[in-house]
Structure formats: structure tokens, C-alpha cells
């Protein structure tokens, strides 16, 4: 975990149920040696007592705009100047709307308006409120002004709904905030990631593909970005939104993925091939829809180019990481692939089990690298696993390329 001296964060806490998670966020920011001053809205104080934040931040909590005593201690302008970064977590729909309109009718909105420090928001609200056209317009306006958004994530909500609007977990917010101060494990490193399946067309309406959803590759790309890397993601067809701060290039077939990767591989420092690329494609794509006949049919298939092996064979190649999805003899197959494809590292996962792999939220990985090293990363949510994997990649990459 990166430690950063003397960095000052004003943490704005607005009135949502996720306010209780902001207490944990203070701890995680403090763990990274940030100095934190908390500003609470009146509604936030209905959820969590200021004393909690005072104890965790070791600083008085700021609540009132027009309180003579508070203004004499550290008023809104001093707070705005003190901050190296203003983070609002949770940022409710109401706060987003008031910030978008430039309101300054309480301490939090006034500090946001008065500061020249970067403003980072971690939205948290019910999914309908997040998807409402008023909120969409406010978010667009704030993004256009250079405000950064962390999340929201998707999942179970306090109101019983499931969908987008959950505040990101405190650890992720703290890590992504820390990156803005520099000091991430992959600061200044160019990372190229492939993700998702490919589609190999048979005719204008049919294609060959596999069960990959892209979740693991997207989580790996996001974890690399969290550590300060500049990330490009070449993605096959998925339903996933582009992760914020990442340059996504959308492709359909293995051939397109190969071309987009090769156009970028020489410029990247680390290449992570998490895509489930089709190994075969139809020898021909029919111009018109193939008509069914009475008898059996056969497909004439040809091999696709191996993208990760192609990158690994380049002269001045990036640190190259492959994935291996296996239904049996995991480690033996992965070792063989590591050697045969000339990779620096391989992350192997069992597929075909109900609790992990394709389309699942969780996975487990066996990671192997060149000089016989290995690490087991146990069953965990893909985002968490991706962070552990990126930690290992950064370690091995830095061992070969000391900063
Ligand atoms: O040989 P296999 O397909 O199992 O190897 C898996 C690894 O190779 C993954 O990292 C995958 O992204 C990569 N791969 C590739 N291009 C292909 C086939 C696989 O980059 N055509």
C-alpha cells in the first residue's frame, strides 16, 4: 500500500445511508497518511454523529457555514484553501444537483465552489435516482467541468433495489483518490488489456463465440488504473460500461482484436491478455444468410492468430501476461502455455465450476511466472482478485524495470 506524506483532503459527507461507509473511508485515507478534515451536511448528521468522524480523522468536524465560532477556527475559505483535494462521499443526488447549479447555501457546497483543488465525487443513491434524466444531465455537466466521478458501483441497495447507484467500497475510493496524488504501484506505466469474447461471423446473422462476459478483463483494467497506470482496453462485445478513465477500443472478431493490439503493443509497458479469443473462425463468411438444407452440415474452420503469443514474440516487447481457462490439470496446462507462448506471467483459472469463472462474480487464480514463482489467489470477487493480480504484475514488472 502506498504511503503519501502531508496530503490534505477535505472529505464532504452528504446525507445518504452510505454515510456510515464514509467513516471507514476516513480510516483508509488516514492509513495512506492523508490528513483528513470532514465537512458534514445537516442530513449527513442524521445518519452518523460528527463525533465518529472527529475521532477517526483526529480533527474537528466542520458543519456550519454561518457559525461565528466555526468561522473563527477554520472558515469556508480557509478550508477551501487548505484542501489539496475535495472528495465528496457519499455524493447524493441532491448534492450533485446543487453542485451542478453552483449553489453555496451550506458549508459543503460553499467549500466546493470556493476551492481550486480537484473535486472528486463518489455518488450514492437509489438506482432510479441515478438513472433519472435530471441526474444524468447534472453528472454530464459536472464531468464537462472536470469534476471526477468514482463510481457508482452496481449491486444490492439499502432500499431493496438492485442496480447502479451503490457507493464504491471505501478501499476502492481511497486507492483511486491516492492515485491522484501520485505514488500508485503503476504510476506512469502504459498498460494494454484485452477482455471479453470475440465473435467469428458465419454469415450476416450468425457467429461463433464463447461464454466470456469480459468481467475479469474489465476488473483487471480498472485495478491497473487504480494503481496509476494509463490503461487502454481492447474489448470484444460485452454489456459492460467502459470503466471511467480508461480508453476503450471496441472490436468484434479475433482479427480486429489482433490488429488493434498490434497497433498499440509497441507503445505499452505491460500487456495483459484476458480476452477469451476464439481459436478458430469460419474459413469464409457467407455474404447472404446460409439457408438450411435437409441433411447435416459441416463447418470449415481455420485458426485465428494468437494475439498474446504475437506480442510475446515482438522484439522490444512489453511485460506480457496471459490467462489460461482450463477445465482440468490447471497448473500443468498453465505451465505449458507460459513456456510455449513465451509469456512473463500467466493467471490460470478453473472454468466449468458453478461458483467461479465465466459470467460469475467470483473467481480464483493460480498465478505462475517465468523463474518458477507462483501464487494462489483464493476465491474472491473479481474486482478484489484483479487488484491482487495487478499487485503481483507490478511487483514482477518493477523487479525487471526498477523505477
Ligand atoms: O491457448 P489459450 O487460448 O488457452 O491461451 C489463453 C491465453 O491466450 C489468454 O491470455 C488469451 O487472451 C490469449 N489468446 C490470444 N489470442 C488467441 C487465443 C488466446 O491472445 N487467438
Amino acid at each position: 500500500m502506498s504511503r503519501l506524506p502531508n496530503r490534505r483532503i477535505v472529505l464532504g459527507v452528504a446525507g445518504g445511508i452510505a454515510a456510515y461507509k464514509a467513516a471507514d473511508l476516513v480510516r483508509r485515507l488516514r492509513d495512506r497518511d492523508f490528513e483528513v478534515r470532514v465537512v458534514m451536511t445537516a442530513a449527513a448528521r442524521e445518519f452518523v454523529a460528527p463525533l465518529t468522524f472527529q475521532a477517526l480523522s483526529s480533527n474537528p468536524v466542520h458543519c456550519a457555514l454561518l457559525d461565528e465560532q466555526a468561522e473563527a477556527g477554520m472558515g469556508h475559505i480557509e478550508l477551501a484553501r487548505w484542501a489539496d483535494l475535495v472528495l465528496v462521499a457519499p455524493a447524493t443526488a441532491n448534492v450533485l444537483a446543487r453542485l451542478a447549479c453552483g449553489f453555496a447555501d451550506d458549508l459543503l457546497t460553499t467549500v466546493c465552489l470556493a476551492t481550486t483543488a480537484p473535486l472528486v465525487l463518489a455518488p450514492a443513491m437509489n438506482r432510479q435516482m441515478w438513472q433519472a434524466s435530471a441526474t444524468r444531465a447534472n453528472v454530464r455537466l459536472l464531468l464537462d467541468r472536470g469534476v471526477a466521478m468514482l463510481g457508482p458501483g452496481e449491486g444490492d441497495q439499502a432500499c431493496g433495489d438492485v442496480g447502479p447507484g451503490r457507493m464504491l467500497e471505501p478501499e476502492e475510493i481511497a486507492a483511486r483518490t491516492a492515485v491522484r496524488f501520485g505514488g500508485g504501484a503503476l504510476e506512469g506505466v502504459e498498460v494494454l488489456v484485452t477482455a471479453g469474447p470475440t465473435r467469428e461471423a458465419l454469415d450476416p446473422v450468425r457467429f461463433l463465440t464463447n461464454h466470456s462476459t469480459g468481467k475479469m478483463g474489465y476488473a483487471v483494467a480498472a485495478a491497473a488504473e487504480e494503481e496509476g497506470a494509463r490503461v487502454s482496453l481492447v474489448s470484444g462485445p460485452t454489456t459492460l460500461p467502459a470503466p471511467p478513465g480508461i480508453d476503450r477500443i471496441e472490436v468484434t472478431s479475433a482479427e480486429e482484436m489482433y490488429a488493434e493490439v498490434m497497433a498499440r503493443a509497441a507503445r505499452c509497458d505491460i500487456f495483459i491478455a484476458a480476452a477469451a479469443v476464439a481459436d478458430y473462425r469460419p474459413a469464409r463468411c457467407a455474404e447472404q444468410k446460409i439457408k438450411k438444407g435437409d441433411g447435416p452440415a459441416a463447418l470449415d474452420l481455420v485458426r485465428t492468430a494468437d494475439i498474446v503469443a504475437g506480442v510475446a514474440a515482438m522484439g522490444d516487447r512489453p511485460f506480457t501476461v496471459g490467462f489460461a481457462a482450463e477445465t482440468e490439470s490447471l497448473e500443468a496446462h498453465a505451465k505449458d502455455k507460459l513456456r510455449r507462448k513465451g509469456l512473463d506471467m500467466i493467471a490460470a483459472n478453473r472454468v466449468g465450476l458453478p461458483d467461479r469463472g465465466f459470467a460469475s462474480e467470483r473467481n480464483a487464480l493460480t498465478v505462475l511466472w517465468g523463474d518458477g514463482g507462483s501464487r494462489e489467489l483464493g476465491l474472491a470477487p473479481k474486482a478484489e482478485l484483479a487488484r491482487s493480480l495487478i499487485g503481483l504484475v507490478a511487483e514482477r514488472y518493477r523487479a525487471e524495470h526498477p523505477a
Side-chain angles (χ1 to χ4, degrees):
M1 192 181 291
S2 32
R3 294 189 158 267
L4 306 161
N6 299 327
R7 294 303 201 165
R8 299 186 293 208
I9 294 181
V10 165
L11 172 64
V13 182
I17 182 60
Y20 81 94
K21 288 193 187 174
D24 188 27
L25 176 57
V26 175
R27 285 198 47 195
R28 288 168 194 261
L29 291 170
R30 299 266 289 154
D31 283 349
R32 289 174 164 79
D33 288 346
F34 285 109
E35 194 179 345
V36 181
R37 282 184 175 267
V38 176
V39 171
M40 297 181 80
T41 64
R45 279 175 278 145
E46 300 288 327
F47 288 92
V48 187
L51 197 56
T52 307
F53 288 105
Q54 183 177 315
L56 290 168
S57 68
S58 306
N59 273 320
V61 171
H62 306 265
C63 297
L65 177 59
L66 298 173
D67 175 324
E68 262 174 41
Q69 232 179 356
E71 286 286 301
M74 193 183 248
H76 60 279
I77 299 296
E78 280 92 339
L79 264 176
R81 285 192 188 134
W82 179 87
D84 292 315
L85 180 141
V86 177
L87 169 65
V88 184
T92 57
N94 181 43
V95 158
L96 293 184
R98 288 162 63 228
L99 291 177
C101 290
F103 277 29
D105 58 350
D106 68 358
L107 185 60
L108 175 57
T109 49
T110 307
V111 168
C112 289
L113 204 58
T115 193
T116 53
L119 182 56
V120 179
L121 309 178
M125 66 199 72
N126 161 270
R127 72 183 169 91
Q128 298 289 5
M129 294 171 77
W130 174 250
Q131 284 162 340
S133 47
T135 306
R136 309 264 30 87
N138 291 333
V139 168
R140 227 172 298 126
L141 201 63
L142 289 163
L143 288 171
D144 284 349
R145 283 187 204 141
V147 173
M149 297 278 166
L150 300 182
E154 295 205 11
D156 294 338
Q157 301 203 303
C159 48
D161 278 3
V162 179
R166 255 174 87 94
M167 189 170 87
L168 294 184
E169 292 306 317
E171 177 58 25
E172 185 170 355
I173 297 175
R176 288 173 64 175
T177 303
V179 161
R180 293 175 177 272
F181 289 84
L186 293 178
E187 201 61 45
V189 174
E190 291 275 347
V191 175
L192 179 64
V193 181
T194 65
T198 64
R199 286 180 185 169
E200 311 304 327
L202 277 160
D203 67 17
V205 295
R206 304 183 180 96
F207 51 81
L208 302 177
T209 191
N210 56 60
H211 287 298
S212 168
T213 56
K215 278 184 190 153
M216 194 63 214
Y218 274 57
V220 166
E225 200 267 343
E226 266 175 49
E227 287 297 340
R230 267 193 309 276
V231 183
S232 303
L233 175 64
V234 179
S235 172
T238 76
T239 56
L240 302 172
I246 288 175
D247 177 26
R248 178 168 71 171
I249 303 101
E250 293 176 82
V251 298
T252 305
S253 66
E255 200 176 349
E256 285 169 18
M257 187 174 275
Y258 182 87
E260 295 293 350
V261 167
M262 286 305 170
R264 290 167 176 78
R267 274 183 279 125
C268 73
D269 304 301
I270 298 176
F271 174 57
I272 305 177
V277 187
D279 292 322
Y280 292 89
R281 65 174 172 78
R284 286 166 303 282
C285 173
E287 263 177 47
Q288 306 299 331
K289 185 180 168 192
I290 300 166
K291 293 288 171 206
K292 60 175 168 289
D294 290 334
L299 287 177
D300 197 4
L301 300 175
V302 294
R303 282 295 304 267
T304 56
D306 193 311
I307 303 169
V308 77
V311 171
M314 285 172 32
D316 190 12
R317 67 173 206 181
F319 185 89
T320 305
V321 184
F323 271 72
E326 306 291 348
T327 52
E328 34 100 48
S329 309
L330 186 70
E331 200 161 329
H333 284 313
K335 267 194 186 135
D336 174 58
K337 237 170 247 184
L338 182 70
R339 192 185 40 76
R340 195 163 34 82
K341 298 196 182 208
L343 310 177
D344 295 297
M345 184 181 265
I346 194 155
N349 60 131
R350 278 287 308 274
V351 288
L353 299 175
D355 64 343
R356 63 189 72 182
F358 285 140
S360 163
E361 293 302 326
R362 292 156 74 82
N363 207 356
L365 293 174
T366 304
V367 186
L368 310 170
W369 55 90
D371 56 9
S374 73
R375 182 83 58 85
E376 291 293 333
L377 303 177
L379 198 60
K382 285 181 175 171
E384 209 173 289
L385 209 57
R387 278 190 209 116
S388 307
L389 176 64
I390 285 296
L392 278 178
V393 170
E395 216 175 87
R396 304 308 311 158
Y397 172 75
R398 291 291 184 203
E400 290 180 19
H401 306 83

